[in-house]
Each structure stands twice: as structure tokens, then as C-alpha cells.
């Protein structure tokens, strides 16, 4: 299969831009469509990962870096699906916030 790498980069940056608007995301590391989203703690990441899964988005924490969750969508993902993934991640962060 051949991929339009400009399109892959555009969609990767789009997802990065959508998710980075949330202040709980401390950093985003990305190579193409492989993402690591850093948060403040393993407990925070775990709640977000579980909520994403409930909403149909598969992500997981890194065993080697438990303060991050990872996402690796397929290179042929559509812009609509990228926007949906971003919406699910942002909603999952907001819905799992611990209110003081």
C-alpha cells in the first residue's frame, strides 16, 4: 500500500492540535501517527484510557512511561475519524477530572 505522507502529517498534526488544547496534556510526542500524550500521573492516564475505551477509542498507557497514553491510528484514517478520536480524547479527559 502507498500512503500520502503529507496527508498523514496533516492528520497527525490535526489530532495533536485538538488534544493539545487541554491543559492536562503536559506534552505530546509524535512520529507520523504514533502518539504519546503525557499527563500528570499514572492514575490520571488510567482513567482517561478507560473512558476512551468505553467510548470506542483504543489507547493504552506505556509500561515504560506510565504517565503517558499512546495511540497509533492506521495511516489510512480519514479526517472525520481523526476529529472523532480527538473529540473522544478531550471528552474523556473532561469527564474523568477529579473535582475538588
Amino acid at each position: 500500500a502507498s500512503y500520502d505522507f503529507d496527508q498523514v502529517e496533516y492528520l497527525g498534526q490535526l489530532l495533536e492540535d485538538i488534544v493539545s488544547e487541554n491543559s492536562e496534556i503536559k506534552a505530546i510526542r509524535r512520529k507520523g501517527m504514533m502518539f504519546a500524550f503525557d499527563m500528570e500521573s499514572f492514575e490520571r492516564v488510567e482513567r482517561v484510557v478507560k473512558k476512551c475505551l468505553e467510548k470506542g477509542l483504543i489507547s493504552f498507557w506505556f509500561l515504560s512511561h506510565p504517565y503517558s497514553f499512546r495511540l497509533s491510528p492506521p495511516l489510512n484514517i480519514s479526517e472525520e475519524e481523526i476529529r472523532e478520536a480527538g473529540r473522544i480524547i478531550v471528552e474523556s479527559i473532561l469527564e474523568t477530572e477529579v473535582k475538588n
Side-chain angles (χ1 to χ4, degrees):
S2 65
Y3 298 101
D4 178 345
F5 289 101
D6 290 337
Q7 180 70 359
V8 168
E9 182 57 29
Y10 166 75
L11 293 176
Q13 188 63 55
L14 177 60
L15 183 58
E16 189 173 334
D17 292 346
I18 291 168
V19 176
S20 69
E21 291 180 12
N22 187 287
S23 62
E24 284 201 72
I25 298 295
K26 304 302 181 197
I28 299 174
R29 292 184 310 287
R30 176 176 69 85
K31 185 73 171 174
M33 284 287 185
M34 295 184 294
F35 294 86
F37 301 98
D38 296 353
M39 299 189 78
E40 66 185 30
S41 68
F42 170 76
E43 292 75 24
R44 194 70 193 89
V45 166
E46 183 179 32
R47 290 197 306 274
V48 171
V49 165
K50 287 179 177 178
K51 183 59 74 171
C52 283
L53 190 57
E54 286 175 23
K55 294 174 172 286
L57 182 71
I58 299 170
S59 64
F60 205 68
W61 52 86
F62 281 98
L63 298 177
S64 61
H65 196 276
Y67 288 21
S68 300
F69 66 96
R70 58 191 165 109
L71 190 68
S72 297
L75 296 180
N76 63 349
I77 193 167
S78 70
E79 182 170 340
E80 181 181 344
E81 291 166 322
I82 281 287
R83 290 184 183 280
E84 176 75 359
R87 182 188 64 74
I88 289 171
I89 292 169
V90 170
E91 281 182 2
S92 295
I93 292 169
L94 294 174
E95 290 175 16
T96 59
E97 281 178 335
V98 175
K99 309 287 192 242
N100 292 328

